[in-house]
Amino acid sequence: GINADLVIISCGAMLQEMSAAVVQIQSHGIVVKLIDLYSLPFDIPALMDEVRDAPIVTVEEHIVQGGIGSVVLETLHDYGKKNAVKRVGIRFKEGYPSTSGSRGYYLRNYGLTTKDIMAAVESVLHSSWD
């Protein structure tokens, strides 16, 4: 695969959410590799070859504990890799939600919007832009 400045790992409907973020990131001259981690188990050597040493952002419409970000961190650890990783997902600080709303409401409420993804990218790349 190509060398990337940043790897984003996601799956399912969140891949569609990623398109706006990827366009914004690439507009800053950053080479982005988007990986669809759609199944478990997955081809671990292939993933390690794709990510190389690039910083990684995992994005999932799921609780961060035990999700894609967790399996990516475990795999990197098992391979002795030290990639910077930022996990974007649902963090239930007060337990499961007691409110109901649209999917958009949940994406905004739990930090899964394009703006939130861009903030995660900035933090993992240690750069900022307007």
Side-chain angles (χ1 to χ4, degrees):
I2 61 163
N3 279 325
D5 301 316
L6 173 71
V7 175
I8 299 175
I9 302 174
S10 192
C11 71
M14 287 310 295
L15 284 172
Q16 295 171 350
E17 303 288 336
M18 298 308 309
S19 60
V22 168
V23 168
Q24 284 185 42
I25 296 161
Q26 289 176 332
S27 75
H28 295 280
I30 296 165
V31 177
V32 181
K33 187 179 291 187
L34 182 59
I35 296 175
D36 182 0
L37 194 67
Y38 60 86
S39 71
L40 294 174
F42 57 91
D43 186 339
I44 292 171
L47 180 65
M48 293 298 98
D49 183 55
E50 288 294 328
V51 301
R52 301 185 185 188
D53 295 322
I56 299 167
V57 175
T58 64
V59 182
E60 56 194 307
E61 196 171 351
H62 184 275
I63 302 167
V64 292
Q65 296 85 354
I68 287 176
S70 295
V71 76
V72 167
L73 285 169
E74 289 172 14
T75 303
L76 291 168
H77 174 80
D78 290 348
Y79 273 68
K81 295 174 76 66
K82 307 278 187 212
N83 302 58
V85 178
K86 181 72 176 178
R87 296 180 298 162
V88 178
I90 299 170
R91 297 177 187 270
F92 288 153
K93 297 178 183 82
E94 294 91 29
Y96 283 90
S98 58
T99 60
S100 61
S102 67
R103 180 169 180 262
Y105 164 81
Y106 279 101
L107 294 179
R108 289 187 304 276
N109 199 48
Y110 290 106
L112 289 164
T113 65
T114 300
K115 181 179 175 184
D116 299 311
I117 294 161
M118 292 299 294
V121 168
E122 288 180 11
S123 73
V124 82
L125 291 178
H126 305 294
S127 63
S128 61
W129 48 70
D130 295 309

